[in-house]
Amino acid sequence: MSDALKLAFSPFAAPARGVFVVFCDGGLKFGPATAKAIAPAAGLVARAAKAENFTGKSGAALELAVPEGLKVSRLVVIGAGDTKGLEQKDLLKLGGLAMGKLPVAAAEATVFAELPGGALKAGQAADLAQGIVLRAYAFDRYKTKRKDDEKPPARRNVTVAVGDVAAVRKAYAVNEAISGGVLLARDLVNEPANVLYPEEFARRAQALKKSGVAVEVLDLKALKKLGMNALLGVGQGSRRESRVVVMRWNGGKAGDAPVAFIGKGVCFDTGGISIKPANAMEDMKGDMAGAACVVGLLQALGARKAKVNAVGVIGLVENMPDGNAQRPGDIVTSMSGQTIEIINTDAEGRLVLGDVTWYTAKRFKPKFMVDLATLTGAIIVALGQEYAGMFANDDKLAERLTKAGEATGEKVWRMPLGPEFDKQIDSKFADMKNTGGSRWGGAITAAQFIKRFVDDKTPWAHLDIAGTAFDSRQTDINKSWASGWGVRLLDRLVKDYYEK
Ligand code: BES
Ligand code: MN
Ligand code: ZN
């Protein structure tokens, strides 16, 4: 489990026990501290490299058990390939690879944060450490039985040896706040829906108060009074009550307009009366990943005391079929006053976001709004699991998100919007309907629907994260089902462009 990892920083010194992880470049070169620490086994390493055809290319690893001349139980050499122009995502990857090389039973490890050019800079070493933490996460709280060879130690001590310990500790404090947010988001997404229903989700969001974030929970009565009937319609077939949670972090100037993040929080999506087929329906416990990201982000901003005013608003519902469930053909009046004909009760996320987006704009008049939602299967067809789909009414915001995505590795790909798509959601009976006429371009018509709840003066971006939030291709920094996607991206967006 994630909290079983104990991370520490120390100066470079040859470790006396445990697993020893070092890095080399694509020319098999080591940094000076590394070369010194492995000197007694240098010949052995060279022979092993030759025998294994190990050339230090990025991601490759050479492993030596009980290396003669060293006190450690295992030496792992990880290739960093070309070490020029390493970005944050590359350092995270190296940290993830290092953690991944620890045998299940290993209780102690030392990782040298050094490349041939010398000790990593403080920020780089802190990113490496973050990669270790993200990779170490496992969601195993419901595992009560283990085979002997799968039993992890009660605690894992990983020491990262660095050049300037104090400087790295300082840089890492910021990263620790961010990884805390990522791991919180993963926990929320991994939790099953019998445990994490709207009220419980709201309770967990309340814990952000510890990080100085103000948390407000709107209950059924408040939501009815506001007229959020599009959101309430989705939840009305469930035994669990709907909630909206508003989180505020005020680290910027008093009176400065906030940046706003909005999340789809469908705690379980059966499809409702337009019920989904059984195959992989269990994945729909993750249909609250947008909301989880917003909670993780607000926790991170609070924990690292970001100099920004930020709000997070999440719509929490459960989409179930029962005698009180909403029907295809029903017409609801949204908070904006616009009416919506329900064609398909499985197109529920946009109904939730319509009301929450409208509410956020009216109440907070934000600098910009970014919403995150596991909104459509169509975006997975279009982009796969490597990129989230981005729809935006503002080029500057879109460009900033793209750049933040490239730096963090949480990439977004811009998709089109336009009147040709918008007219597909015109309805015979109401102002609009909740699905387009055809399956084609389904992610776009979904985005057009949300856009009808955004005024053109507020810069807005919608991120369809159906492909990236869970069940994604396992990466070097995540082996769990939920990825926690978006927390690092949006933290970076805030840090690079909106903090004073
Ligand atoms: N939550 C789903 C989308 C989804 C599918 C997310 C797979 C992650 C993985 C969403 O509510 C949904 O059901 N969308 C429908 C829309 C359709 C009815 C217009 C879809 O994508 O099929
Ligand atoms: Mn659905
Ligand atoms: Zn859904």
Side-chain angles (χ1 to χ4, degrees), residues 321-396:
D322 89 343
N324 194 44
Q326 131 170 298
R327 292 150 290 255
D330 283 6
I331 294 176
V332 295
T333 303
S334 66
M335 182 184 171
S336 71
Q338 302 178 95
T339 56
I340 305 162
E341 180 190 7
I342 310 299
I343 300 297
N344 188 320
T345 64
D346 196 12
E348 84 296 340
R350 63 198 76 182
L351 297 167
V352 172
L353 288 173
D355 272 344
V356 175
T357 304
W358 179 266
Y359 171 77
T360 303
K362 289 293 155 244
R363 178 167 170 194
F364 296 107
K365 304 189 174 46
K367 268 200 191 95
F368 69 76
M369 302 190 283
V370 174
D371 78 67
L372 298 102
T374 47
L375 204 64
T376 67
I379 201 66
I380 314 178
V381 175
L383 297 179
Q385 299 197 287
E386 197 63 33
Y387 285 80
M390 170 175 65
F391 301 82
N393 67 356
D394 184 86
D395 292 343
K396 195 165 84 181

Side-chain angles (χ1 to χ4, degrees), residues 104-350:
V104 189
E108 195 140 336
T110 304
V111 181
F112 265 33
E114 192 192 47
L115 287 169
L120 295 180
K121 291 196 216 87
Q124 293 180 314
D127 286 343
L128 181 91
Q130 189 178 25
I132 292 173
V133 171
L134 293 177
R135 172 65 178 254
Y137 171 86
F139 184 77
D140 49 12
R141 67 179 56 149
Y142 298 107
K143 290 256 185 209
T144 67
K145 292 176 181 166
R146 298 267 196 196
K147 295 192 190 91
D148 276 345
D149 58 350
E150 287 174 0
K151 280 198 183 110
R155 199 158 115 159
R156 299 190 137 182
N157 294 306
V158 176
T159 302
V160 181
V162 300
D164 183 342
V165 175
V168 176
R169 282 209 180 110
K170 190 163 168 236
Y172 181 69
V174 173
N175 279 6
E176 194 175 24
I178 300 164
S179 8
V182 176
L183 300 192
L184 170 59
R186 286 185 190 167
D187 268 348
L188 291 167
V189 174
N190 280 320
E191 273 300 2
N194 59 327
V195 174
L196 195 76
Y197 46 92
E199 276 182 273
E200 173 61 17
F201 196 130
R203 266 194 289 278
R204 296 209 187 175
Q206 308 247 25
L208 266 60
K209 288 175 182 165
K210 277 184 276 181
S211 307
V213 176
V215 184
E216 195 184 326
V217 179
L218 307 181
D219 62 9
L220 274 191
K221 200 169 138 222
L223 299 176
K224 278 184 191 143
K225 195 160 164 226
L226 286 164
M228 290 207 197
N229 299 313
L231 179 147
L232 288 169
V234 175
Q236 78 187 25
S238 169
R239 300 285 287 270
R240 305 292 193 185
E241 288 188 7
S242 302
R243 292 287 183 269
V244 166
V245 179
V246 179
M247 293 155 281
R248 273 177 294 172
W249 167 250
N250 287 320
K253 277 204 227 96
D256 240 16
V259 296
F261 301 96
I262 296 163
K264 168 178 173 180
V266 177
C267 293
F268 196 79
D269 180 14
T270 63
I273 295 299
S274 316
I275 198 161
K276 287 180 182 295
N279 183 38
M281 201 206 271
E282 68 277 12
D283 283 0
M284 288 300 108
K285 72 172 184 178
D287 208 18
M288 28 54 71
C293 172
V294 172
V295 173
L297 174 68
L298 266 287
Q299 177 178 290
L301 294 176
R304 73 171 181 81
K305 305 215 178 333
K307 292 188 174 58
V308 70
N309 295 334
V311 303
V313 188
I314 55 178
L316 303 171
V317 301
E318 186 182 52
N319 189 21
M320 299 287 275
D322 89 343
N324 194 44
Q326 131 170 298
R327 292 150 290 255
D330 283 6
I331 294 176
V332 295
T333 303
S334 66
M335 182 184 171
S336 71
Q338 302 178 95
T339 56
I340 305 162
E341 180 190 7
I342 310 299
I343 300 297
N344 188 320
T345 64
D346 196 12
E348 84 296 340
R350 63 198 76 182

